[in-house]
Amino acid sequence: MLELELLDWLIIGLCALLIGFSKSGLPNMIILVVTLIMFVLPARESVGFLLPMLLIGDLFAVTYYRRNVVWKYLISLIPWVLIGIISGFFVLQNIGDGWLKPMIGVIVLVMIALNLIRQKLGARFNEILPNSFLFIVFIGVLGGFTTMVGNAAGAIMTIYLLVKGLPKKELIGTGSWFFLTVNLIKFPFYVHLEIITLNTLSVNMMLIPIILIGAFTGARVLKYIPQRVFTILILVLATLGGLNLIFN
């Protein structure tokens, strides 16, 4: 069992709740979770610790949105995502916390910038981005790499699916299947790197009820919360967390 202070356990519990919320249709929350968990665990260990909790949330999401998935957009992306995942694996294998922590901080800030640009441009954002083979390759490799080294590819996947013109439910459902697939692929890599262990898994299993509470609550309640206010709060907090990872 992890030896943590009470505040650390509270932060982990909050992260589990936010993961549940995120899988109900608010993927921006994962950016905040990635930064929060590093207040408790070293960067390398935190990446592995989050993955089983994300998988639990993924299982809820694909069940809830099981009828809202467009498979052709996933199949064309997966080969390039695998290249990104393998690249990320070699990075995790060869760098320590001193380099990994600021790298994840930069990734977090880039994801936030992409979200802000997308929100500012609105419908024009989709028109500006290409819808070509090279774009699919770029998104796939970048998404695979960022999800491998930091569990932080939510913004990239959202951009890809928006370019494809998917409505809200199909976007969430297709994204859910994407992350379930890539997170299952990542699992044996993380076990090989020993950042997922029986010890960390035992803690993850204890957090399943909190993740599910977050997921069910998010599915029913979050739609009543003003989206703009909520999104701004999440992005501001994640920005502060990302800056902290870079400069501390």
Side-chain angles (χ1 to χ4, degrees), residues 57-200:
D58 291 332
L59 289 170
F60 170 86
V62 297
T63 302
Y64 194 83
Y65 295 102
R66 60 188 177 277
R67 294 187 178 89
N68 307 105
V69 56
V70 183
W71 290 107
K72 63 180 180 179
Y73 294 145
L74 294 184
I75 293 170
S76 62
L77 203 62
I78 289 296
W80 313 111
V81 171
L82 289 174
I83 293 174
I85 287 175
I86 292 169
S87 301
F89 167 75
F90 285 111
V91 168
L92 284 176
Q93 191 174 41
N94 291 292
I95 68 172
D97 264 21
W99 286 97
L100 183 60
K101 193 173 180 180
M103 179 184 292
I104 294 175
V106 169
I107 290 172
V108 166
L109 294 181
V110 170
M111 295 304 103
I112 292 168
L114 287 174
N115 271 294
L116 292 175
I117 293 169
R118 178 170 58 83
Q119 290 169 19
K120 184 175 180 61
L121 293 178
R124 284 189 59 232
F125 185 82
N126 295 355
E127 299 169 4
I128 293 171
L129 289 173
N131 191 4
S132 63
F133 175 73
L134 288 178
F135 177 70
I136 292 173
V137 172
F138 175 76
I139 287 289
V141 174
L142 184 61
F145 181 82
T146 53
T147 193
M148 186 68 184
V149 301
N151 294 310
I156 295 171
M157 191 60 187
T158 299
I159 288 168
Y160 170 73
L161 295 176
L162 282 172
V163 169
K164 297 301 182 183
L166 294 183
K168 184 176 180 181
K169 283 191 175 181
E170 280 67 27
L171 188 148
I172 296 171
T174 305
S176 299
W177 276 102
F178 170 82
F179 284 109
L180 176 64
T181 303
V182 297
N183 285 337
L184 286 171
I185 292 170
K186 286 157 52 181
F187 197 92
F189 286 101
Y190 283 10
V191 172
H192 176 76
L193 292 169
E194 297 182 346
I195 54 178
I196 291 180
T197 64
L198 290 176
N199 191 14
T200 60

Side-chain angles (χ1 to χ4, degrees), residues 192-220:
H192 176 76
L193 292 169
E194 297 182 346
I195 54 178
I196 291 180
T197 64
L198 290 176
N199 191 14
T200 60
L201 280 174
S202 66
V203 178
N204 294 145
M205 295 304 103
M206 291 168 52
L207 296 168
I208 289 177
I210 300 177
I211 297 170
L212 294 179
I213 288 170
F216 282 109
T217 303
R220 296 180 178 276

